[in-house]
Amino acid sequence: MAGLFISFEGIDGVGKSTQADRLGEWLTSKGKEVLRTLEPGGTDLGQEIRNILLHRKGDVAPRAEALLYAADRAHHVATKIRPALNAGKTVITDRYLDSSVAYQGAGRALDANLVRDLSLFAVENLLPNLTVLLDLDAAAALERRSKTGTEPDRLEREKLEFFEAVRDQYLKLAAAEPNRWLVVDARLDVDEIAQIIRDRVSTLLV
Ligand code: TYD
């Protein structure tokens, strides 16, 4: 695989999309071709799935939820991410399979290994070269979200304990695979965070 694959992870409200954008702009200024994308909803089909996942009224059973995220991911990888990597592009995605392991695995209390295996099946084992975790405690993240004034979606309406479990799972995943993960304190200044991420990405550039 020719291109570099980078994912951003963290609980809702930690500033992932801002940092994904910043990194994308920096890499573009270095002459890299960048695909900046997201999950759920990185494709047309994915947008439809995203709509169900985030805005459906009423229950979605935990396993159905896990399968819908995996379906979104399978289509995203097959039609956008893998072709871009094969063409030598740098792919930056706001969320990827670790979101499922953390949210469906820990948040919904499904078996984290099963959720991971489901996603690995979906993506034919494609893992990022680097995963950036923007780490913040659940209460601080909730406070940030409340300041945006936007209506919380289906997942964001979960309780504090849900996000605490998700955060703990992320930290465990990062500790288990330190070569793939970079953990950054999301309380730092936006520019400082961007710089820490660039420093790590620089080590991966050829
Ligand atoms: P996101 O697009 O980051 O939310 P927003 O656009 O509102 O910032 O993600 C939507 C929600 O989906 C988020 O609460 C996390 C959740 N999610 C999962 O539970 N599992 C997954 O596999 C993914 C990709 C996201």
Side-chain angles (χ1 to χ4, degrees):
M1 191 105 45
L4 190 64
F5 183 21
I6 301 167
S7 61
F8 279 78
E9 295 286 355
I11 58 175
D12 294 77
V14 296
K16 288 182 310 308
S17 14
T18 305
Q19 291 299 335
D21 286 345
R22 291 282 293 263
L23 180 65
E25 285 155 18
W26 180 72
L27 285 167
T28 305
S29 77
K30 296 243 154 237
K32 299 277 173 198
E33 265 199 274
V34 174
L35 170 70
R36 163 73 171 85
T37 185
L38 82 170
E39 290 188 0
T43 61
D44 282 356
L45 171 62
Q47 283 291 337
E48 294 180 40
I49 298 172
R50 179 183 173 93
N51 201 31
I52 299 173
L53 281 164
L54 302 190
H55 305 300
R56 188 172 187 281
K57 306 269 179 288
D59 249 20
V60 181
R63 279 162 198 268
E65 183 181 277
L67 286 160
L68 285 165
Y69 279 112
D72 167 69
R73 184 161 302 127
H75 194 67
H76 190 205
V77 166
T79 64
K80 278 184 80 177
I81 294 180
R82 221 180 259 278
L85 292 172
N86 286 339
K89 294 184 187 165
T90 301
V91 175
I92 300 176
T93 182
D94 183 349
R95 299 193 178 282
Y96 190 60
L97 115 179
D98 302 292
S99 278
S100 282
V101 182
Y103 279 76
Q104 280 64 54
R108 301 294 189 216
L110 296 174
D111 182 321
N113 286 323
L114 278 181
V115 174
R116 182 181 158 93
D117 286 348
L118 175 68
S119 264
L120 285 173
F121 163 76
V123 303
E124 295 179 88
N125 298 317
L126 178 68
L127 283 174
N129 302 98
L130 174 68
T131 298
V132 179
L133 172 59
L134 296 177
D135 179 51
L136 188 64
D137 72 78
L142 182 66
E143 196 182 322
R144 285 196 194 182
R145 292 207 296 281
S146 67
K147 285 191 183 139
T148 65
T150 50
E151 198 54 29
D153 61 41
R154 198 177 60 83
L155 273 288
E156 286 168 347
R157 286 196 290 272
E158 286 296 333
K159 297 194 194 59
L160 209 55
E161 301 87 80
F162 175 92
F163 291 101
E164 277 162 358
V166 173
R167 182 206 187 191
D168 288 349
Q169 180 69 280
Y170 270 134
L171 288 170
K172 268 193 222 155
L173 292 173
E177 254 183 296
N179 287 337
R180 173 160 73 90
W181 290 78
L182 169 68
V183 183
V184 188
D185 184 342
R187 291 170 306 181
L188 295 174
D189 174 74
V190 183
D191 291 333
E192 223 174 319
I193 296 174
Q195 190 57 50
I196 293 169
I197 297 169
R198 283 176 201 164
D199 288 347
R200 176 67 173 262
V201 171
S202 298
T203 67
L204 301 172
L205 296 176
V206 276

